[in-house]
Amino acid sequence: MKRVKKPVFFVVFILIFLFAYSVIYGISYYYGDNKTTYIKGVDDIRFGIDIKGGVDVTFTPDMTGMTGEVTNSQLDSAKEVIVQRMVNQNITDYECYIDYDNKRIIVRFPWKEGETNFDPEAAVKELGETASLTFREGMESETVLNEDGTAEMIPAGVTAENLILEGKDVSKAEAAYYPDESSGGTYVWIVSLTLTPEGATKFAEATAKLAPVQGQISIWMDNTMISAPTVQSVISDGNAQISGSFDADSAKALADKINSGALPFKLVTASFSTISPSLGQGALDAMVLAGIIAFICICIIVISIYRMMGVVTVVALVGQVAGTLAFVSGFFAFQNSSVLTIPGIAGVILAVGMGVDANVITGERIKEELYAGKTLDGAISSGFARAFSAILDGNVTMVLIAVILMGAFGTPDSIFAKALSFAFFMFGPSTAGTIYSFGYTLLVGTALNMVFGVWCSRLMLTSLSKFKALRNPWLYCKNKGQAEIKTFKFDFVAKRKILIGIAGAMIVISIGSTFILGANLDIQFKGGTLLSYVYDGDIDLNAFEETARESLGGYNFTATTGTNFTTGKNNIQLSLLTSDGLGIDTQTALTDALQARFPDNNVDVIESSDISPSSGREFFLKCLVAVLLSFVVLVFYIALRFKKIGGWKAGVCAIIALLHDCIAVYGAFIIFGMSINANFMAVVLTILGSSINNTIVIYDRLRENETLYDGKMDLSELGNLSINQSITRCIWTSLTTFVSMVVVSIVALSMGVESIISFSIPMAVGIVCGTYSSICLTIPLWLTLRGTVRKNKTKHGKAVKA
């Protein structure tokens, strides 16, 4: 403590704000119109399709007429086709990975900046088409004129004269590590080709013609040239080698692309969802505005309540938020950027709540030490030391939840997915990546909380306390003329039956609302198709439904009308229950029919989802397993860390309180008429983290008081004391998050962004219910299991505690 000098605050303050500035604006250099980026800023953040708009599709092989199983190498080749086609469309910000166990390829990509030609069905259909692989003589191209009069060289089309081989003529292609005779036998990576008998004959004729003149054979996927090797000799045995500056990855990539031309199947969509760029931009604008307002509100609250500690909290929060955005944007050279989604932003908010909580716990501890008669320096030192265990336990539980989410909903090759494969082995990769983003931002934010909320806050507050003008105890929440700290003195134990009864009534209302109002399970979980159309002017709804019915044939649907606040246009939403999804072709035909019937209304798809029931059920079950695994892990951790207050009993009581919170969140979705979807899971998981943190703070007090009073206080008195000592911290911490959610709800309602409303309103309800359960349920339940009176037994003449 004495080694921290006065200037330390200003050093930390300047470093944090310089860091925040560089994270926001990045560092780049312009030379003419060319921009060179050295450090990425927030403009480089990759937003998910729920914010930016885009496509999320799962492909499966069409096994019609095919014998045998689809191999992993065939899936690799199919993936290469999809990747190549996205690159050809200038889609570089994509995710594409394979679920080998379930034979699926998952693809996500956002719409390009300024996208105007919004045609998701055509984009997905093109990605899934069978690849056209050709080997052509030479590298011919032709000149075409663009609309602006400029000339452009494009590949010449395949003709009978230049066509050598097709995909069906290639038996297999593979990467090989082979000795290169031209360089003295040094091993190099090559691509080895094995041709069919018919292909070998064609290739022998072509190489015999081209070898004497060192001609080239270009290899094309669709209309993109992927290689153009020079013919060195006549190849008559059907075994060819392509050499060049390959490494293992590039050799395998080329082999996969060549193999794709001989795939015996085409790809069909198992699930498909899309959001238009305008709808996504509305969500982003709302979240940015709400985030700024909410942060200002949090700053006002913590400074007005905790004074000097509040000022330190604000600076630390700036550093924590900036650090989280830095990890998302790819600010650090050692780490790739990550996709940020709406639930990902929720993870940032929850981590901010943890940052506030760390400083609130410390502020309360410092205040207690001051009222206990310690000097300011002693109070600050002791306050940080005594607060650390509760902060650590709260952060560890958050990390555990985040790791479970990233293992459940991340890519199958991630370290967390591999570590948790024992729990999720029966599921393939999730068809929705939004929850992974939540886990990632929560994990990063929680880790940074230990840096900024604990270490930097301690340095800054200790430094400020060295200034004579800032040593007034009032600045650290000790009021002049007040002899002792004010605490609540409510008898929670005596009222525990009433408190448990209130919680029980809340559970009955939440579950009972299902029978009265009905649960609206989103197609993400049950499967089906949801199509949202926007249009100009007025449309005859009956004519719209008639056209849709004719186009859809035997499919039944329900139609609802409304106004899309983001676009300002009227919209009609069609909802269908299908056994295996509607399919891209059917969706395209429906859109074409509606546009032909209403040519003056500019009918267009703004959002669509098409998920097979099996995929929906799998996603739902995977979410349940993630929640249940979180419960189990939390029970084990609490039992391990809080042995002194009953261990397993403390863990079980915490889980019962969390179940109450989950049911309350479910009731909020039902009562407000919201669909049970990925947002529901995000809210539940957020409340799990927030509520368990409140519970841990109370348990930490209970453990501390048990040691302090050495078993001389009855359990009922001990429980009441611990709750009343912790209640101020629980309320203020929850209030900051609650205010944030209220602000988000108001902004989202005013801007009509339903995807955010279905998150923020239930979240606000969950915060209130989670705070109630931590304060009013956990200790009364704990006392119910252990008894309110401490019983002593005698063994070998000595008194021991039961």
Side-chain angles (χ1 to χ4, degrees):
M1 288 287 290
K2 294 181 179 179
R3 290 178 294 179
V4 178
K5 306 299 182 182
K6 292 180 180 180
V8 169
F9 170 80
F10 300 101
V11 172
V12 175
F13 179 89
I14 291 171
L15 288 176
I16 286 177
F17 274 88
L18 285 176
F19 174 57
Y21 180 87
S22 62
V23 168
I24 294 172
Y25 296 102
I27 298 177
S28 58
Y29 171 73
Y30 279 94
Y31 183 77
D33 294 332
N34 297 323
K35 178 182 179 182
T36 303
T37 299
Y38 299 102
I39 296 178
K40 294 180 179 180
V42 293
D43 288 340
D44 298 301
I45 289 177
R46 299 162 52 212
F47 291 106
I49 65 172
D50 58 340
I51 293 178
K52 191 175 182 180
V55 170
D56 187 332
V57 60
T58 299
F59 291 109
T60 58
D62 184 355
M63 304 298 291
T64 305
M66 180 180 170
T67 58
E69 292 290 328
V70 175
T71 65
N72 289 351
S73 62
Q74 288 175 335
L75 288 172
D76 289 335
S77 297
K79 174 189 172 183
E80 285 299 326
V81 174
I82 293 173
V83 170
Q84 184 65 53
R85 285 173 173 165
M86 285 191 288
V87 172
N88 291 345
Q89 297 180 37
N90 292 323
I91 300 171
T92 56
D93 186 16
Y94 60 81
E95 297 175 72
C96 185
Y97 52 93
I98 302 172
D99 172 11
Y100 291 105
D101 294 333
N102 295 290
K103 310 301 181 187
R104 299 185 299 194
I105 302 175
I106 294 92
V107 182
R108 301 188 190 99
F109 60 88
W111 294 114
K112 292 174 288 188
E113 198 70 34
E115 178 72 46
T116 56
N117 185 21
F118 178 64
D119 193 351
E121 291 86 0
V124 171
K125 187 175 181 180
E126 181 179 344
L127 291 180
E129 287 179 348
T130 305
S132 173
L133 184 82
T134 54
F135 287 57
R136 308 177 192 177
E137 181 180 333
M139 299 171 58
E140 295 183 6
S141 59
E142 58 187 8
T143 304
V144 297
L145 290 177
N146 296 319
E147 293 181 1
D148 59 1
T150 59
E152 181 182 1
M153 300 293 291
I154 67 169
V158 60
T159 65
E161 288 75 23
N162 66 12
L163 177 63
I164 298 174
L165 299 176
E166 297 178 89
K168 64 182 180 180
D169 297 319
V170 180
S171 177
K172 69 174 180 178
E174 58 186 354
Y177 203 44
Y178 193 80
D180 183 11
E181 296 179 0
S182 64
S183 60
T186 303
Y187 275 80
V188 295
W189 283 100
I190 64 168
V191 176
S192 175
L193 300 180
T194 302
L195 306 179
T196 64
E198 184 179 351
T201 301
K202 296 177 184 178
F203 205 64
E205 295 174 359
T207 54
K209 174 184 176 182
L210 296 172
V213 294
Q214 298 286 289
Q216 286 182 288
I217 295 178
S218 55
I219 306 173
W220 300 74
M221 179 187 291
D222 299 328
N223 288 317
T224 302
M225 187 173 65
I226 58 176
S227 185
T230 300
V231 179
Q232 303 289 343
S233 61
V234 178
I235 301 172
S236 58
D237 62 355
N239 295 303
Q241 296 176 355
I242 303 174
S243 60
S245 302
F246 291 119
D247 57 18
D249 292 335
S250 60
K252 183 180 183 301
L254 179 57
D256 287 338
K257 291 173 183 176
I258 294 174
N259 283 327
S260 68
L263 289 177
F265 56 79
K266 68 176 182 178
L267 297 172
V268 294
T269 55
S271 66
F272 167 65
S273 61
T274 181
I275 298 176
S276 76
S278 59
L279 193 62
Q281 186 61 44
L284 177 58
D285 293 343
M287 288 301 287
V288 170
L289 177 60
I292 293 172
I293 297 174
F295 190 81
I296 293 172
C297 291
I298 290 174
C299 294
I300 293 172
I301 291 173
V302 295
I303 291 175
S304 61
I305 296 171
Y306 289 98
R307 302 161 195 174
M308 188 60 66
M309 191 67 196
V311 173
V312 168
T313 300
V314 170
V315 178
L317 288 179
V318 170
Q320 181 180 323
V321 173
T324 305
L325 295 178
F327 274 93
V328 171
S329 68
F331 177 90
F332 302 106
F334 62 83
Q335 178 260 341
N336 294 327
S337 61
S338 179
V339 176
L340 183 63
T341 64
I342 290 176
I345 295 174
V348 176
I349 293 172
L350 180 55
V352 166
M354 293 294 295
V356 172
D357 184 61
N359 286 282
V360 166
I361 293 173
T362 304
E364 289 290 327
R365 288 290 194 173
I366 292 172
K367 180 169 64 174
E368 290 174 9
E369 298 299 317
L370 286 172
Y371 276 106
K374 287 192 176 181
T375 63
L376 179 58
D377 292 338
I380 292 175
S381 178
S382 180
F384 273 99
R386 295 181 65 191
F388 185 76
S389 62
I391 296 172
L392 177 65
D393 286 328
N395 279 268
V396 169
T397 55
M398 284 292 192
V399 168
L400 291 173
I401 292 174
V403 166
I404 290 172
L405 295 180
M406 294 176 69
F409 301 102
T411 55
D413 58 349
S414 70
I415 184 173
F416 300 117
K418 291 177 180 178
L420 296 175
S421 59
F422 70 91
F424 301 105
F425 67 91
M426 71 288 288
F427 306 111
S430 168
T431 55
T434 54
I435 299 180
Y436 175 84
S437 176
F438 173 84
Y440 180 79
T441 55
L442 180 60
L443 176 65
V444 171
T446 302
L448 290 173
N449 179 35
M450 297 301 293
V451 176
F452 292 100
V454 178
W455 183 58
C456 288
S457 292
R458 179 168 184 157
L459 288 176
M460 288 188 287
L461 191 66
T462 304
S463 171
L464 289 172
S465 68
K466 304 297 182 182
F467 291 90
K468 186 175 181 180
L470 302 179
R471 292 187 64 82
N472 187 338
W474 181 86
L475 294 173
Y476 304 87
C477 299
K478 182 183 179 183
N479 296 320
K480 188 175 181 179
Q482 184 176 321
E484 60 181 23
I485 190 171
K486 292 181 179 179
T487 59
F488 285 86
K489 298 187 183 298
F490 186 79
D491 193 343
F492 289 91
V493 177
K495 308 291 184 183
R496 69 181 185 276
K497 291 183 179 179
I498 297 175
L499 298 175
I500 294 174
I502 293 173
M506 192 180 302
I507 292 174
V508 171
I509 292 172
S510 297
I511 296 176
S513 62
T514 304
F515 300 99
I516 299 172
L517 302 174
N520 181 16
L521 199 64
D522 192 84
I523 64 170
Q524 280 183 309
F525 290 154
K526 67 181 180 182
T529 303
L530 185 68
L531 302 171
S532 184
Y533 292 92
V534 292
Y535 60 91
D536 296 328
D538 296 321
I539 275 185
D540 184 343
L541 181 59
N542 292 329
F544 192 97
E545 291 181 354
E546 179 185 343
T547 305
R549 196 170 289 109
E550 291 173 355
S551 178
L552 293 172
Y555 289 109
N556 294 320
F557 63 85
T558 57
T560 55
T561 60
T563 301
N564 187 280
F565 290 90
T566 305
T567 62
K569 294 184 176 182
N570 298 319
N571 75 313
I572 297 178
Q573 195 172 78
L574 302 182
S575 179
L576 304 88
L577 282 178
T578 57
S579 58
D580 55 357
L582 192 59
I584 295 296
D585 291 338
T586 306
Q587 289 187 45
T588 303
L590 172 60
T591 302
D592 291 343
L594 292 170
Q595 290 174 342
R597 179 71 182 272
F598 307 100
D600 299 327
N601 296 101
N602 296 321
V603 177
D604 200 6
V605 180
I606 195 170
E607 185 176 7
S608 68
S609 293
D610 186 39
I611 300 175
S612 66
S614 59
S615 297
R617 285 192 298 270
E618 181 181 303
F619 182 50
F620 180 67
L621 290 174
K622 194 172 190 180
C623 290
L624 288 182
V625 171
V627 172
L628 292 175
L629 182 60
S630 299
F631 282 162
V632 172
V633 170
L634 291 176
V635 167
F636 271 93
Y637 183 80
I638 291 174
L640 178 67
R641 288 287 292 159
F642 295 93
K643 290 181 180 179
K644 195 169 186 66
I645 60 171
W648 290 106
K649 293 179 181 179
V652 169
C653 293
I655 295 304
I656 293 173
L658 291 178
L659 284 172
H660 160 272
D661 304 338
C662 293
I663 294 172
V665 168
Y666 169 79
F669 271 83
I670 300 300
I671 292 170
F672 287 105
M674 298 172 179
S675 297
I676 306 296
N677 55 15
N679 272 3
F680 169 75
M681 298 309 303
V683 174
V684 166
L685 294 165
T686 306
I687 296 304
L688 285 183
S690 173
S691 183
I692 196 65
N693 193 43
N694 284 336
T695 299
I696 281 176
V697 169
I698 296 174
Y699 278 175
D700 183 70
R701 278 287 189 167
L702 188 62
R703 177 177 57 189
E704 181 181 314
N705 288 332
E706 177 76 345
T707 302
L708 181 64
Y709 292 98
D710 195 26
K712 298 176 182 177
M713 181 181 288
D714 280 341
L715 294 178
S716 58
E717 296 179 67
L718 194 71
N720 269 327
L721 176 64
S722 301
I723 298 173
N724 284 303
Q725 286 176 329
S726 308
I727 193 170
T728 301
R729 170 262 156 209
C730 291
I731 290 175
W732 286 126
T733 300
S734 298
L735 179 65
T736 56
T737 312
F738 178 79
V739 169
S740 299
M741 287 300 101
V742 170
V743 170
V744 171
S745 299
I746 293 172
V747 172
L749 283 168
S750 65
M751 299 179 69
V753 185
E754 295 181 7
S755 59
I756 297 177
I757 296 170
S758 64
F759 173 84
S760 57
I761 293 179
M763 179 76 172
V765 173
I767 290 168
V768 173
C769 295
T771 305
Y772 177 86
S773 68
S774 295
I775 294 172
C776 302
L777 278 187
T778 48
I779 298 300
L781 287 172
W782 177 77
L783 289 169
T784 301
L785 289 180
R786 291 200 61 176
T788 57
V789 180
R790 194 184 300 276
K791 298 178 181 179
N792 291 320
K793 297 179 182 178
T794 348
K795 184 176 182 181
H796 302 300
K798 296 182 180 180
V800 296
K801 293 189 286 256

